[in-house]
Amino acid sequence: MRNKRFMPNLLLAALLILFLTGNAFAAQEMLKTSKVKVGEKAPLTEMLKKTNEEKKIIVLVILSNPMQCNHCDELMSLLEKEAEPYKNDAAFITAGGQDMIGSIDQETLELKRLYGFVTMGDAWTFIVDRQGILKKIYMGLYTREELEAALNEIIGRKE
């Protein structure tokens, strides 16, 4: 009798530990991006379709709401610096989060729905190639080197 209750209790304790440490939240966020997958056609709103028709790479950054966005200022600073060298090849598009109005405008809401985005926590970056294929997803902050490597690979530039 005692052994029959041990396994369910152990499982419950493990789940509780995961939930309390925040790992469950990260896992939940990852599951919500199941709407989009690397290597598949990315969902494009009217604004993104126009950029894609111009044969530019799309670097789409979706920010969470302004009060709960981790490292968003650092990420925006990085993107401002990195956009200039890629201006002929890529369009850097930011949606939501800069202020409360921006986080609830119609385009942002549609993007969050299409990409399965979670509204709290980290910003998400989706890199879409010229053919409209999703090439990379970043959750949260990343380095200049990671961004440059991803863009250079899509463009075909040698580093």
mmCIF file of all heavy atoms in Angstrom, residues 60-101:
data_model
loop_
_atom_site.group_PDB
_atom_site.id
_atom_site.type_symbol
_atom_site.label_atom_id
_atom_site.label_comp_id
_atom_site.label_asym_id
_atom_site.label_seq_id
_atom_site.Cartn_x
_atom_site.Cartn_y
_atom_site.Cartn_z
ATOM 1 N N LEU A 60 11.752 39.813 -37.029
ATOM 2 C CA LEU A 60 10.554 40.216 -36.301
ATOM 3 C C LEU A 60 10.786 40.024 -34.806
ATOM 4 O O LEU A 60 11.035 38.911 -34.350
ATOM 5 C CB LEU A 60 9.353 39.380 -36.754
ATOM 6 C CG LEU A 60 8.061 39.551 -35.955
ATOM 7 C CD1 LEU A 60 7.535 40.978 -36.067
ATOM 8 C CD2 LEU A 60 7.020 38.543 -36.421
ATOM 9 N N VAL A 61 10.704 41.113 -34.067
ATOM 10 C CA VAL A 61 10.871 41.071 -32.620
ATOM 11 C C VAL A 61 9.523 41.401 -31.991
ATOM 12 O O VAL A 61 8.979 42.473 -32.217
ATOM 13 C CB VAL A 61 11.937 42.069 -32.132
ATOM 14 C CG1 VAL A 61 12.096 41.995 -30.623
ATOM 15 C CG2 VAL A 61 13.260 41.814 -32.834
ATOM 16 N N ILE A 62 8.999 40.451 -31.228
ATOM 17 C CA ILE A 62 7.742 40.685 -30.524
ATOM 18 C C ILE A 62 8.068 40.848 -29.053
ATOM 19 O O ILE A 62 8.608 39.941 -28.419
ATOM 20 C CB ILE A 62 6.744 39.529 -30.737
ATOM 21 C CG1 ILE A 62 6.474 39.323 -32.235
ATOM 22 C CG2 ILE A 62 5.444 39.820 -29.995
ATOM 23 C CD1 ILE A 62 5.542 38.172 -32.548
ATOM 24 N N LEU A 63 7.763 42.023 -28.543
ATOM 25 C CA LEU A 63 8.028 42.335 -27.143
ATOM 26 C C LEU A 63 6.800 41.999 -26.314
ATOM 27 O O LEU A 63 5.669 42.146 -26.773
ATOM 28 C CB LEU A 63 8.357 43.817 -26.986
ATOM 29 C CG LEU A 63 9.540 44.335 -27.796
ATOM 30 C CD1 LEU A 63 9.611 45.851 -27.711
ATOM 31 C CD2 LEU A 63 10.837 43.710 -27.333
ATOM 32 N N SER A 64 7.054 41.576 -25.088
ATOM 33 C CA SER A 64 5.924 41.355 -24.182
ATOM 34 C C SER A 64 5.421 42.711 -23.713
ATOM 35 O O SER A 64 5.896 43.742 -24.179
ATOM 36 C CB SER A 64 6.357 40.483 -23.008
ATOM 37 O OG SER A 64 7.318 41.161 -22.223
ATOM 38 N N ASN A 65 4.490 42.708 -22.775
ATOM 39 C CA ASN A 65 3.984 44.015 -22.344
ATOM 40 C C ASN A 65 5.094 44.783 -21.626
ATOM 41 O O ASN A 65 6.029 44.200 -21.106
ATOM 42 C CB ASN A 65 2.715 43.860 -21.498
ATOM 43 C CG ASN A 65 2.970 43.280 -20.139
ATOM 44 O OD1 ASN A 65 3.775 43.801 -19.384
ATOM 45 N ND2 ASN A 65 2.295 42.198 -19.805
ATOM 46 N N PRO A 66 5.047 46.104 -21.618
ATOM 47 C CA PRO A 66 6.161 46.926 -21.157
ATOM 48 C C PRO A 66 6.579 46.717 -19.704
ATOM 49 O O PRO A 66 7.721 46.938 -19.359
ATOM 50 C CB PRO A 66 5.681 48.358 -21.359
ATOM 51 C CG PRO A 66 4.355 48.296 -21.968
ATOM 52 C CD PRO A 66 3.927 46.884 -22.074
ATOM 53 N N MET A 67 5.663 46.286 -18.868
ATOM 54 C CA MET A 67 5.997 46.147 -17.456
ATOM 55 C C MET A 67 6.609 44.786 -17.128
ATOM 56 O O MET A 67 7.142 44.611 -16.055
ATOM 57 C CB MET A 67 4.754 46.368 -16.629
ATOM 58 C CG MET A 67 4.222 47.746 -16.871
ATOM 59 S SD MET A 67 3.413 48.388 -15.587
ATOM 60 C CE MET A 67 1.905 48.434 -15.301
ATOM 61 N N GLN A 68 6.531 43.845 -18.045
ATOM 62 C CA GLN A 68 7.026 42.508 -17.736
ATOM 63 C C GLN A 68 7.946 41.981 -18.830
ATOM 64 O O GLN A 68 7.929 40.810 -19.143
ATOM 65 C CB GLN A 68 5.851 41.557 -17.543
ATOM 66 C CG GLN A 68 5.001 41.949 -16.373
ATOM 67 C CD GLN A 68 3.697 41.180 -16.331
ATOM 68 O OE1 GLN A 68 3.085 40.892 -17.339
ATOM 69 N NE2 GLN A 68 3.262 40.843 -15.138
ATOM 70 N N CYS A 69 8.747 42.823 -19.416
ATOM 71 C CA CYS A 69 9.628 42.421 -20.494
ATOM 72 C C CYS A 69 11.063 42.349 -19.981
ATOM 73 O O CYS A 69 11.658 43.365 -19.632
ATOM 74 C CB CYS A 69 9.519 43.403 -21.668
ATOM 75 S SG CYS A 69 10.216 42.761 -23.181
ATOM 76 N N ASN A 70 11.602 41.145 -19.920
ATOM 77 C CA ASN A 70 12.955 40.927 -19.419
ATOM 78 C C ASN A 70 13.995 41.270 -20.489
ATOM 79 O O ASN A 70 13.930 40.759 -21.592
ATOM 80 C CB ASN A 70 13.142 39.466 -19.005
ATOM 81 C CG ASN A 70 12.187 39.055 -17.921
ATOM 82 O OD1 ASN A 70 11.829 39.849 -17.053
ATOM 83 N ND2 ASN A 70 11.739 37.814 -17.971
ATOM 84 N N HIS A 71 14.931 42.141 -20.167
ATOM 85 C CA HIS A 71 16.058 42.501 -21.029
ATOM 86 C C HIS A 71 15.644 43.141 -22.354
ATOM 87 O O HIS A 71 16.416 43.141 -23.307
ATOM 88 C CB HIS A 71 16.941 41.278 -21.309
ATOM 89 C CG HIS A 71 17.401 40.577 -20.075
ATOM 90 N ND1 HIS A 71 18.318 41.135 -19.212
ATOM 91 C CD2 HIS A 71 17.056 39.372 -19.559
ATOM 92 C CE1 HIS A 71 18.528 40.297 -18.211
ATOM 93 N NE2 HIS A 71 17.769 39.232 -18.394
ATOM 94 N N CYS A 72 14.446 43.662 -22.438
ATOM 95 C CA CYS A 72 13.983 44.239 -23.703
ATOM 96 C C CYS A 72 14.767 45.485 -24.089
ATOM 97 O O CYS A 72 15.039 45.696 -25.275
ATOM 98 C CB CYS A 72 12.489 44.529 -23.647
ATOM 99 S SG CYS A 72 11.520 43.015 -23.690
ATOM 100 N N ASP A 73 15.162 46.298 -23.119
ATOM 101 C CA ASP A 73 15.949 47.490 -23.437
ATOM 102 C C ASP A 73 17.291 47.106 -24.041
ATOM 103 O O ASP A 73 17.740 47.705 -25.017
ATOM 104 C CB ASP A 73 16.160 48.350 -22.188
ATOM 105 C CG ASP A 73 14.883 48.998 -21.702
ATOM 106 O OD1 ASP A 73 13.950 49.141 -22.520
ATOM 107 O OD2 ASP A 73 14.802 49.344 -20.508
ATOM 108 N N GLU A 74 17.930 46.083 -23.466
ATOM 109 C CA GLU A 74 19.218 45.621 -23.989
ATOM 110 C C GLU A 74 19.056 45.076 -25.407
ATOM 111 O O GLU A 74 19.886 45.337 -26.284
ATOM 112 C CB GLU A 74 19.796 44.517 -23.099
ATOM 113 C CG GLU A 74 20.167 44.974 -21.710
ATOM 114 C CD GLU A 74 20.474 43.793 -20.808
ATOM 115 O OE1 GLU A 74 21.371 43.005 -21.141
ATOM 116 O OE2 GLU A 74 19.790 43.663 -19.773
ATOM 117 N N LEU A 75 18.008 44.325 -25.633
ATOM 118 C CA LEU A 75 17.753 43.744 -26.946
ATOM 119 C C LEU A 75 17.504 44.839 -27.976
ATOM 120 O O LEU A 75 18.048 44.804 -29.090
ATOM 121 C CB LEU A 75 16.561 42.792 -26.888
ATOM 122 C CG LEU A 75 16.203 42.096 -28.189
ATOM 123 C CD1 LEU A 75 17.364 41.262 -28.714
ATOM 124 C CD2 LEU A 75 14.980 41.223 -27.995
ATOM 125 N N MET A 76 16.710 45.833 -27.635
ATOM 126 C CA MET A 76 16.415 46.926 -28.564
ATOM 127 C C MET A 76 17.689 47.716 -28.887
ATOM 128 O O MET A 76 17.903 48.118 -30.026
ATOM 129 C CB MET A 76 15.336 47.849 -27.994
ATOM 130 C CG MET A 76 13.972 47.179 -27.866
ATOM 131 S SD MET A 76 13.415 46.364 -29.382
ATOM 132 C CE MET A 76 13.289 47.756 -30.470
ATOM 133 N N SER A 77 18.547 47.900 -27.902
ATOM 134 C CA SER A 77 19.811 48.588 -28.119
ATOM 135 C C SER A 77 20.693 47.796 -29.094
ATOM 136 O O SER A 77 21.293 48.366 -30.014
ATOM 137 C CB SER A 77 20.522 48.786 -26.788
ATOM 138 O OG SER A 77 21.768 49.387 -26.969
ATOM 139 N N LEU A 78 20.751 46.499 -28.912
ATOM 140 C CA LEU A 78 21.520 45.629 -29.807
ATOM 141 C C LEU A 78 20.986 45.724 -31.235
ATOM 142 O O LEU A 78 21.749 45.877 -32.188
ATOM 143 C CB LEU A 78 21.446 44.179 -29.321
ATOM 144 C CG LEU A 78 21.967 43.122 -30.297
ATOM 145 C CD1 LEU A 78 23.481 43.152 -30.375
ATOM 146 C CD2 LEU A 78 21.480 41.749 -29.899
ATOM 147 N N LEU A 79 19.679 45.661 -31.389
ATOM 148 C CA LEU A 79 19.085 45.681 -32.722
ATOM 149 C C LEU A 79 19.291 47.020 -33.416
ATOM 150 O O LEU A 79 19.506 47.062 -34.634
ATOM 151 C CB LEU A 79 17.596 45.344 -32.641
ATOM 152 C CG LEU A 79 17.301 43.902 -32.238
ATOM 153 C CD1 LEU A 79 15.821 43.707 -32.000
ATOM 154 C CD2 LEU A 79 17.817 42.915 -33.264
ATOM 155 N N GLU A 80 19.242 48.109 -32.669
ATOM 156 C CA GLU A 80 19.484 49.426 -33.259
ATOM 157 C C GLU A 80 20.889 49.505 -33.841
ATOM 158 O O GLU A 80 21.095 50.043 -34.926
ATOM 159 C CB GLU A 80 19.280 50.525 -32.217
ATOM 160 C CG GLU A 80 17.824 50.784 -31.893
ATOM 161 C CD GLU A 80 17.633 51.739 -30.725
ATOM 162 O OE1 GLU A 80 18.617 52.401 -30.297
ATOM 163 O OE2 GLU A 80 16.507 51.813 -30.226
ATOM 164 N N LYS A 81 21.858 48.935 -33.135
ATOM 165 C CA LYS A 81 23.244 48.948 -33.615
ATOM 166 C C LYS A 81 23.441 48.022 -34.812
ATOM 167 O O LYS A 81 24.220 48.321 -35.706
ATOM 168 C CB LYS A 81 24.186 48.526 -32.486
ATOM 169 C CG LYS A 81 24.275 49.519 -31.355
ATOM 170 C CD LYS A 81 25.093 48.983 -30.218
ATOM 171 C CE LYS A 81 25.000 49.901 -29.014
ATOM 172 N NZ LYS A 81 25.552 49.297 -27.807
ATOM 173 N N GLU A 82 22.752 46.903 -34.832
ATOM 174 C CA GLU A 82 22.971 45.897 -35.862
ATOM 175 C C GLU A 82 22.145 46.115 -37.124
ATOM 176 O O GLU A 82 22.441 45.524 -38.156
ATOM 177 C CB GLU A 82 22.682 44.498 -35.305
ATOM 178 C CG GLU A 82 23.707 44.049 -34.290
ATOM 179 C CD GLU A 82 25.128 44.082 -34.838
ATOM 180 O OE1 GLU A 82 25.392 43.474 -35.897
ATOM 181 O OE2 GLU A 82 25.986 44.720 -34.206
ATOM 182 N N ALA A 83 21.139 46.934 -37.072
ATOM 183 C CA ALA A 83 20.268 47.129 -38.231
ATOM 184 C C ALA A 83 20.990 47.818 -39.392
ATOM 185 O O ALA A 83 20.772 47.465 -40.548
ATOM 186 C CB ALA A 83 19.025 47.913 -37.829
ATOM 187 N N GLU A 84 21.836 48.765 -39.115
ATOM 188 C CA GLU A 84 22.478 49.563 -40.163
ATOM 189 C C GLU A 84 23.266 48.729 -41.179
ATOM 190 O O GLU A 84 23.060 48.880 -42.381
ATOM 191 C CB GLU A 84 23.377 50.642 -39.524
ATOM 192 C CG GLU A 84 24.033 51.562 -40.514
ATOM 193 C CD GLU A 84 23.050 52.374 -41.356
ATOM 194 O OE1 GLU A 84 21.934 52.671 -40.889
ATOM 195 O OE2 GLU A 84 23.405 52.712 -42.505
ATOM 196 N N PRO A 85 24.146 47.831 -40.773
ATOM 197 C CA PRO A 85 24.909 47.067 -41.773
ATOM 198 C C PRO A 85 24.044 46.136 -42.645
ATOM 199 O O PRO A 85 24.479 45.702 -43.702
ATOM 200 C CB PRO A 85 25.889 46.235 -40.942
ATOM 201 C CG PRO A 85 25.873 46.789 -39.577
ATOM 202 C CD PRO A 85 24.589 47.549 -39.420
ATOM 203 N N TYR A 86 22.837 45.853 -42.203
ATOM 204 C CA TYR A 86 21.962 44.924 -42.923
ATOM 205 C C TYR A 86 20.769 45.618 -43.588
ATOM 206 O O TYR A 86 19.859 44.950 -44.076
ATOM 207 C CB TYR A 86 21.456 43.842 -41.955
ATOM 208 C CG TYR A 86 22.568 42.952 -41.469
ATOM 209 C CD1 TYR A 86 23.163 43.181 -40.239
ATOM 210 C CD2 TYR A 86 23.027 41.901 -42.244
ATOM 211 C CE1 TYR A 86 24.199 42.376 -39.792
ATOM 212 C CE2 TYR A 86 24.057 41.086 -41.804
ATOM 213 C CZ TYR A 86 24.644 41.333 -40.575
ATOM 214 O OH TYR A 86 25.674 40.528 -40.142
ATOM 215 N N LYS A 87 20.785 46.949 -43.645
ATOM 216 C CA LYS A 87 19.606 47.685 -44.113
ATOM 217 C C LYS A 87 19.193 47.333 -45.546
ATOM 218 O O LYS A 87 18.023 47.443 -45.884
ATOM 219 C CB LYS A 87 19.801 49.190 -43.951
ATOM 220 C CG LYS A 87 20.845 49.784 -44.865
ATOM 221 C CD LYS A 87 20.999 51.263 -44.630
ATOM 222 C CE LYS A 87 22.114 51.805 -45.512
ATOM 223 N NZ LYS A 87 22.436 53.164 -45.192
ATOM 224 N N ASN A 88 20.116 46.901 -46.393
ATOM 225 C CA ASN A 88 19.764 46.535 -47.764
ATOM 226 C C ASN A 88 19.210 45.120 -47.871
ATOM 227 O O ASN A 88 18.563 44.784 -48.859
ATOM 228 C CB ASN A 88 20.976 46.680 -48.681
ATOM 229 C CG ASN A 88 21.422 48.125 -48.807
ATOM 230 O OD1 ASN A 88 20.606 49.041 -48.758
ATOM 231 N ND2 ASN A 88 22.717 48.323 -48.936
ATOM 232 N N ASP A 89 19.485 44.302 -46.876
ATOM 233 C CA ASP A 89 19.098 42.891 -46.933
ATOM 234 C C ASP A 89 18.000 42.494 -45.957
ATOM 235 O O ASP A 89 17.343 41.470 -46.161
ATOM 236 C CB ASP A 89 20.328 42.007 -46.638
ATOM 237 C CG ASP A 89 21.406 42.165 -47.685
ATOM 238 O OD1 ASP A 89 21.108 41.912 -48.866
ATOM 239 O OD2 ASP A 89 22.541 42.541 -47.339
ATOM 240 N N ALA A 90 17.825 43.258 -44.894
ATOM 241 C CA ALA A 90 16.896 42.841 -43.838
ATOM 242 C C ALA A 90 16.066 44.014 -43.331
ATOM 243 O O ALA A 90 16.518 45.155 -43.313
ATOM 244 C CB ALA A 90 17.669 42.222 -42.673
ATOM 245 N N ALA A 91 14.842 43.687 -42.922
ATOM 246 C CA ALA A 91 13.960 44.662 -42.281
ATOM 247 C C ALA A 91 13.797 44.238 -40.821
ATOM 248 O O ALA A 91 13.420 43.097 -40.543
ATOM 249 C CB ALA A 91 12.612 44.689 -42.972
ATOM 250 N N PHE A 92 14.124 45.131 -39.911
ATOM 251 C CA PHE A 92 13.994 44.877 -38.483
ATOM 252 C C PHE A 92 12.660 45.456 -38.042
ATOM 253 O O PHE A 92 12.464 46.671 -38.075
ATOM 254 C CB PHE A 92 15.156 45.515 -37.719
ATOM 255 C CG PHE A 92 16.471 44.824 -37.956
ATOM 256 C CD1 PHE A 92 17.162 44.986 -39.140
ATOM 257 C CD2 PHE A 92 17.010 43.995 -36.993
ATOM 258 C CE1 PHE A 92 18.370 44.351 -39.372
ATOM 259 C CE2 PHE A 92 18.213 43.347 -37.204
ATOM 260 C CZ PHE A 92 18.897 43.527 -38.394
ATOM 261 N N ILE A 93 11.755 44.595 -37.639
ATOM 262 C CA ILE A 93 10.398 45.007 -37.291
ATOM 263 C C ILE A 93 10.143 44.655 -35.829
ATOM 264 O O ILE A 93 10.330 43.508 -35.421
ATOM 265 C CB ILE A 93 9.366 44.310 -38.197
ATOM 266 C CG1 ILE A 93 9.625 44.706 -39.658
ATOM 267 C CG2 ILE A 93 7.941 44.632 -37.762
ATOM 268 C CD1 ILE A 93 8.874 43.880 -40.668
ATOM 269 N N THR A 94 9.708 45.647 -35.067
ATOM 270 C CA THR A 94 9.400 45.440 -33.659
ATOM 271 C C THR A 94 7.906 45.622 -33.456
ATOM 272 O O THR A 94 7.322 46.578 -33.955
ATOM 273 C CB THR A 94 10.162 46.450 -32.778
ATOM 274 O OG1 THR A 94 11.553 46.332 -33.053
ATOM 275 C CG2 THR A 94 9.926 46.184 -31.308
ATOM 276 N N ALA A 95 7.312 44.698 -32.721
ATOM 277 C CA ALA A 95 5.878 44.776 -32.439
ATOM 278 C C ALA A 95 5.647 44.696 -30.941
ATOM 279 O O ALA A 95 6.246 43.876 -30.258
ATOM 280 C CB ALA A 95 5.133 43.644 -33.140
ATOM 281 N N GLY A 96 4.776 45.569 -30.462
ATOM 282 C CA GLY A 96 4.333 45.528 -29.067
ATOM 283 C C GLY A 96 5.360 46.003 -28.072
ATOM 284 O O GLY A 96 6.495 46.280 -28.393
ATOM 285 N N GLY A 97 4.896 46.124 -26.849
ATOM 286 C CA GLY A 97 5.758 46.304 -25.704
ATOM 287 C C GLY A 97 6.390 47.640 -25.442
ATOM 288 O O GLY A 97 6.762 47.903 -24.320
ATOM 289 N N GLN A 98 6.565 48.500 -26.448
ATOM 290 C CA GLN A 98 7.230 49.761 -26.162
ATOM 291 C C GLN A 98 6.386 50.638 -25.248
ATOM 292 O O GLN A 98 6.907 51.391 -24.460
ATOM 293 C CB GLN A 98 7.555 50.508 -27.459
ATOM 294 C CG GLN A 98 8.609 49.780 -28.263
ATOM 295 C CD GLN A 98 8.106 49.451 -29.651
ATOM 296 O OE1 GLN A 98 6.910 49.366 -29.884
ATOM 297 N NE2 GLN A 98 9.021 49.256 -30.573
ATOM 298 N N ASP A 99 5.080 50.539 -25.365
ATOM 299 C CA ASP A 99 4.169 51.220 -24.465
ATOM 300 C C ASP A 99 2.865 50.419 -24.444
ATOM 301 O O ASP A 99 2.705 49.470 -25.208
ATOM 302 C CB ASP A 99 3.922 52.672 -24.898
ATOM 303 C CG ASP A 99 3.401 52.777 -26.321
ATOM 304 O OD1 ASP A 99 2.639 51.894 -26.764
ATOM 305 O OD2 ASP A 99 3.759 53.742 -27.003
ATOM 306 N N MET A 100 1.967 50.769 -23.578
ATOM 307 C CA MET A 100 0.733 49.978 -23.445
ATOM 308 C C MET A 100 -0.106 50.019 -24.725
ATOM 309 O O MET A 100 -0.698 49.032 -25.107
ATOM 310 C CB MET A 100 -0.100 50.471 -22.258
ATOM 311 C CG MET A 100 0.487 50.062 -20.911
ATOM 312 S SD MET A 100 0.933 48.319 -20.789
ATOM 313 C CE MET A 100 -0.661 47.584 -20.521
ATOM 314 N N ILE A 101 -0.108 51.149 -25.419
ATOM 315 C CA ILE A 101 -0.886 51.234 -26.658
ATOM 316 C C ILE A 101 -0.263 50.337 -27.723
ATOM 317 O O ILE A 101 -0.952 49.608 -28.419
ATOM 318 C CB ILE A 101 -0.999 52.698 -27.130
ATOM 319 C CG1 ILE A 101 -1.825 53.496 -26.116
ATOM 320 C CG2 ILE A 101 -1.610 52.781 -28.525
ATOM 321 C CD1 ILE A 101 -1.812 54.983 -26.324
#
